[in-house]
Amino acid sequence: MKRLRLAAGFMAMAILAMLACLLFHSPLMMVLFLTIGPACAGIAVLLFATGLNVRFGDRE
Amino acid sequence: MSSVDTGVIVLILSAVSLLLLIGVTVSMDEGSLTPGRIGVLFLGVIVVPCLSLTFGVGAAMDEAKRVGFCGTRCHEMAPFYEDLRSPESETLAAIHYQNRYILEDQCYSCHTNYTMFGPMEAKVAGLMHIWNHYAGHSEKPIKLKGEYRIANCLHCHGESKRYRESHTELLAEIENGDMSCLICHGQIHPQQDAKVDQ
């Protein structure tokens, strides 16, 4: 459950970075969004998958 | 779909995403995760936020194409932006901008190569410009990296009747890349002060 909350937190961070970029129209914010956004979203997906104990590949 | 519509969609999706994320986080408990609850979690934590981020990247890219973004957000570009809008200016860029030969996104239209990876190369170059600015590596006069591709001019002018009729003797040379449009067609942008910007 802790990982799922962390996943939600990271995804919220990505959304906030995007909103900052779109509201301020600043090149620096754009760079931060384009770097932090995908990184946070990727970490969130990983945390979500591991938090649910999703297993990839053959279980044997 | 216009970028304004995209912006509104992004804002709505972002608001929905943040509400879902807060709702999902608050309602999480240590109880068993039923398939239904996993579905709601997946929708709230992954699907809707990722959709919002996808639209957001598109809106951010659209915004970065605008002349105002280039001219008013980057200090190095201010003289070029002022020249574009100056009624007295006779530079090639100003003529194109003021007569709306290019309808919108004029900086982007001329400075992005019309190749498969042209837009991506332009974005990477833009990121490097920002890095150079904040790292204190920006110098005046600023220079175009590499040579300007005449193919970018020909993308619009190449099939124009007026261009073809007035350049009959030079057509082959220009299209082969042996002759540059910039040789005859004057000053493209205003002269810059030759000082280091620190």
Side-chain angles (χ1 to χ4, degrees), chain A:
Chain A
M1 202 56 70
K2 190 181 171 186
R3 287 188 181 187
L4 295 181
R5 285 206 176 96
L6 267 175
F10 271 102
M11 203 52 106
M13 208 165 11
I15 299 283
L16 290 175
M18 179 185 72
L19 284 177
C21 163
L22 293 176
L23 292 178
F24 292 110
H25 295 299
S26 148
L28 184 63
M29 287 293 170
M30 191 161 289
V31 172
L32 288 178
F33 165 49
L34 292 178
T35 49
I36 289 175
C40 285
I43 292 169
V45 170
L46 281 177
L47 283 170
F48 189 82
T50 53
L52 288 179
N53 288 324
V54 176
R55 293 181 185 179
F56 299 100
D58 195 349
R59 289 190 179 199
E60 286 182 28

Side-chain angles (χ1 to χ4, degrees), chain A residues 1-19 21-35 37-38 40-42 44-49 51-52, chain B residues 7 10-11 13-15 17-18 21 24-31 33 37-38 41-46 48-50 52-57 59-61 63-64 69 73-74 126-127 130 134:
Chain A
M1 202 56 70
K2 190 181 171 186
R3 287 188 181 187
L4 295 181
R5 285 206 176 96
L6 267 175
F10 271 102
M11 203 52 106
M13 208 165 11
I15 299 283
L16 290 175
M18 179 185 72
L19 284 177
C21 163
L22 293 176
L23 292 178
F24 292 110
H25 295 299
S26 148
L28 184 63
M29 287 293 170
M30 191 161 289
V31 172
L32 288 178
F33 165 49
L34 292 178
T35 49
C40 285
V45 170
L46 281 177
L47 283 170
F48 189 82
L52 288 179
Chain B
V10 170
L11 284 177
L13 274 174
S14 304
S17 303
L18 286 174
L21 285 169
V24 160
T25 311
V26 169
S27 67
M28 275 183 201
D29 56 27
E30 298 298 329
L33 285 171
R37 289 191 65 191
I38 290 174
L41 279 176
F42 184 66
L43 200 73
V45 179
I46 304 295
V48 178
C50 282
S52 172
L53 287 172
T54 307
F55 276 102
V57 169
M61 291 297 171
E63 178 59 32
F69 183 85
R73 302 293 171 182
C74 294
L127 292 178
I130 294 168
Y134 285 105

Side-chain angles (χ1 to χ4, degrees), chain B:
Chain B
M1 186 183 292
S2 73
S3 59
V4 177
D5 294 338
T6 314
V8 171
I9 289 170
V10 170
L11 284 177
I12 292 169
L13 274 174
S14 304
V16 171
S17 303
L18 286 174
L19 286 174
L20 272 173
L21 285 169
I22 292 167
V24 160
T25 311
V26 169
S27 67
M28 275 183 201
D29 56 27
E30 298 298 329
S32 61
L33 285 171
T34 60
R37 289 191 65 191
I38 290 174
V40 173
L41 279 176
F42 184 66
L43 200 73
V45 179
I46 304 295
V47 177
V48 178
C50 282
L51 199 65
S52 172
L53 287 172
T54 307
F55 276 102
V57 169
M61 291 297 171
D62 273 354
E63 178 59 32
K65 290 178 186 175
R66 295 182 193 283
V67 173
F69 183 85
C70 303
T72 58
R73 302 293 171 182
C74 294
H75 306 291
E76 284 83 355
M77 293 296 154
F80 302 99
Y81 181 63
E82 285 162 16
D83 174 71
L84 280 186
R85 297 161 62 89
S86 164
E88 291 85 32
S89 177
E90 292 182 351
T91 60
L92 198 63
I95 290 168
H96 277 74
Y97 178 80
Q98 290 173 19
N99 291 300
R100 289 292 187 269
Y101 292 153
I102 305 166
L103 198 59
E104 56 188 9
D105 305 337
Q106 288 86 353
C107 305
Y108 182 84
S109 298
C110 290
H111 287 282
T112 301
N113 295 338
Y114 293 92
T115 55
M116 186 174 175
F117 297 109
M120 198 178 11
E121 286 166 2
K123 296 293 172 222
V124 173
L127 292 178
M128 291 310 296
H129 292 162
I130 294 168
W131 165 252
N132 286 336
H133 174 78
Y134 285 105
H137 297 156
S138 62
E139 290 182 355
K140 280 186 176 177
I142 59 172
K143 294 172 191 164
L144 188 71
K145 191 180 176 185
E147 279 191 16
Y148 188 77
R149 289 179 83 248
I150 299 308
N152 291 357
C153 304
L154 296 180
H155 182 78
C156 297
H157 293 281
E159 297 305 320
S160 148
K161 182 184 172 191
R162 189 174 158 195
Y163 160 75
R164 297 196 81 82
E165 285 179 356
S166 58
H167 293 77
T168 43
E169 292 173 6
L170 296 168
L171 275 179
E173 271 187 276
I174 293 171
E175 283 169 10
N176 290 337
D178 298 329
M179 173 94 184
S180 169
C181 310
L182 311 182
I183 293 171
C184 301
H185 288 285
Q187 196 179 344
I188 294 94
H189 287 295
Q191 295 290 336
Q192 306 163 66
D193 297 330
K195 64 179 181 184
V196 176
D197 183 25
Q198 290 290 348

